[in-house]
Amino acid sequence: MTFIEQWLRSDIKNIDAYHVPVSKDMIKLDAMESPFGVPENLKVEFLKRIEQSEVNRYPEADPSELKDTLRALMDIPDEFGILLGNGSDELIQLLALACSKNDLIMSFEPSFVMYEMVSKYVHLDYFGVSLDSNFDIKLSEALLVIEREKPKIIFIAYPNNPTGNSFDYDAIIKIIKSTSGMVVLDEAYYAYSDKSFLSEISNFPNLLVLRTISKIGFAGLRLGLLIGDQETIAQLNKLRLPYNINALTQASVNFLLKDKQRILDNAQIIIEERRRLTHELSLFPKFKVYTSQTNFILVHSDDAQSLYSALKKNGILVKCFSKSSDLANFIRISVSEPSQNNSLIDAIRNYYG
Ligand SMILES: *Cc1c(COP(=O)(O)O)cnc(C)c1O
């Protein structure tokens, strides 16, 4: 046995590390990234901003300009507090760190895997309530679990990843009202969805909304935000590591995210491409295509695993799920700009001959 094998917690040894496939020179449709990078006409000024960053100094600890930029971009009212994270993943971890020893975290299955992984890392119990065959919440079952397990936190991805749908709004309101725990609505895909729980924060002290800039064109900057009641945010802020938002991210956000219209327009292009791609995909007889409120589309096909491999050989990376999972016969495709989406459709046509 090596040193680390005998030293490490056995539950950590048994976890599969979060797998990121090699994607160099591929058309990348696996991780819900935006195809839109820094616009050509902004590149010179962007470099200047980066140049002016004082990387020998610690970054601003409570970056108010950055928060104002996010408030304007996402229409966050001044009366709500904002907690910043190095990606929203860090904020999921921070919330788990706020729990006590025997607390339980609840979510739904299938959903975003980090809720369960983070729970395990910090020795918390986790309970995943199964979604129904349309991937919606079974409300009576959820309410029973809440009563029995008394979850400290309920994470709800809204819209959900990897299924792409938004759960029934009233069911979620009932869940928020039924629990004495915290309910975190993870709105990573808010830009592609027509519903949000942001305005409900003033109605429910146990509601937090989690957002990120990763899915709207800035995954590389690693910035997430937790929005909630001012006092709640101030208390949770004690758990944040100092200087968790680095100087280059701050400089980039303060420059690149100021142009709200450009970001909205880019989201609109993706929404339009989602409509087109959903239609094109549904023409393949083997596919069952799920309606999406996000920038990705979930597709069921009984040959999903071999289709995944064939696309990969053709330089197109989509997401497939482990052969042992309930999603083994699904692929998840990020919606990109028109030419990449066309390459995908062509490759699927070639595959089916
Ligand atoms: C992608 C995603 C995240 C991760 O966001 P980061 O800010 O990049 O850490 C969080 N929640 C959901 C539901 C996601 O799909």
Side-chain angles (χ1 to χ4, degrees), residues 219-235:
L221 296 180
R222 306 305 298 132
L223 181 70
L225 55 155
L226 192 63
I227 308 152
D229 174 78
Q230 294 276 11
E231 190 196 330
T232 305
I233 293 297
Q235 289 292 341

Side-chain angles (χ1 to χ4, degrees), residues 136 157-160 165-172 185-200 209 211 274 293-294:
D136 208 343
Y158 189 89
N160 191 33
N165 61 311
S166 285
F167 303 132
D168 180 56
Y169 197 92
D170 295 331
I172 293 177
L185 267 292
D186 182 348
E187 297 187 342
Y189 301 97
Y190 80 95
Y192 308 102
S193 158
D194 47 25
K195 281 185 266 163
S196 164
F197 278 83
L198 196 59
S199 66
E200 301 282 2
V209 170
R211 288 194 178 178
R274 176 181 75 198
Q293 290 279 309
T294 64

Side-chain angles (χ1 to χ4, degrees), residues 32 87-89 112 115 157 161 186 188-189 212 214-215 222-223:
M32 287 79 89
S88 51
D89 287 347
F112 188 48
Y115 310 141
N161 172 11
D186 182 348
Y189 301 97
T212 174
S214 294
K215 311 292 159 60
R222 306 305 298 132
L223 181 70

